[in-house]
């Protein structure tokens, strides 16, 4: 049976309420995957692959970036690049807390396309929050710059 996702919320320190999709494995998780999407996509684009990771035993939480996907407030806007990183740092701290209270396992930061930029910055500055980093067709050297 294909795991279904739940739409959940996480509130950042500045009060912004994020939506994310959560796929739970049937058994205690082998690990935790926190996923970041690209510049024009959102977590809904990755339902099939996220469900497959859950079938393989991983707890998958795919964030919709501030102003993207299910997050209708301030469409396409982030007040500062550091805020985008802070959002992921806070969410990873939350997932690590849940992991430490549960079955354990690694926390993997998975980044798709443009999501690799904040993921790489996070790994360089706050690497202690993740046990592994996975890039799927990373958009590290793009021709278009986000303002």
């Amino acid at each position: 049976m294909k795991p279904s996702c739940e739409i959940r919320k996480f509130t950042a320190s500045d009060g912004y309420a994020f939506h994310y999709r959560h796929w739970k494995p049937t058994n205690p998780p082998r690990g935790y995957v926190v996923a970041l999407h690209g510049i024009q996509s959102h977590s809904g684009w990755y339902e099939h692959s996220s469900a497959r990771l859950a079938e393989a035993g991983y707890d998958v939480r795919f964030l919709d970036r501030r102003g993207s996907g299910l997050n209708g407030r301030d469409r396409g806007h982030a007040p500062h690049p550091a805020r985008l990183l802070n959002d992921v740092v806070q969410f990873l701290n939350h997932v690590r807390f849940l992991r430490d209270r549960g079955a354990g396992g690694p926390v993997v930061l998975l980044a798709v396309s443009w999501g690799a930029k904040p993921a790489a910055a996070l790994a360089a500055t706050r690497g202690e929050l993740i046990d592994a980093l996975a890039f799927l067709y990373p958009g590290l050297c793009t021709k278009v710059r986000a303002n």
Side-chain angles (χ1 to χ4, degrees):
M1 180 179 197
K2 181 179 171 181
S4 61
C5 76
E6 296 176 11
I7 306 297
R8 301 183 119 187
K9 285 187 180 180
F10 176 79
T11 303
S13 62
D14 67 348
Y16 192 95
F18 285 92
H19 289 87
Y20 66 95
R21 286 177 167 85
H22 182 204
W23 289 264
K24 296 179 192 175
T26 306
N27 296 314
R30 299 171 59 180
Y32 296 79
V33 175
V34 172
L36 307 178
H37 60 79
I39 194 77
Q40 292 183 342
S41 61
H42 57 79
S43 63
W45 286 19
Y46 303 97
E47 289 191 23
H48 179 75
S49 55
S50 296
R52 295 297 307 265
L53 284 168
E55 286 173 4
Y58 293 92
D59 179 288
V60 180
R61 295 161 195 257
F62 211 123
L63 283 173
D64 275 342
R65 186 181 59 252
R66 183 179 288 256
S68 298
L70 296 169
N71 299 322
R73 184 174 143 202
D74 300 327
R75 289 309 258 178
H77 177 72
H80 192 275
R83 181 71 250 180
L84 293 175
L85 285 180
N86 231 6
D87 293 341
V88 181
V89 165
Q90 290 171 15
F91 192 75
L92 283 168
N93 277 318
H94 170 70
V95 170
R96 290 181 68 82
F97 174 77
L98 296 173
R99 187 267 322 252
D100 293 346
R101 288 183 42 208
V107 173
V108 178
L109 182 59
L110 182 148
V112 177
S113 186
W114 185 89
K117 286 184 179 227
L122 187 138
T125 59
R126 297 298 306 272
E128 75 278 5
L129 295 177
I130 59 175
D131 300 303
L133 180 61
F135 290 147
L136 301 178
Y137 42 92
L140 294 172
C141 298
T142 59
K143 293 180 181 180
V144 177
R145 293 182 50 160
N147 294 333

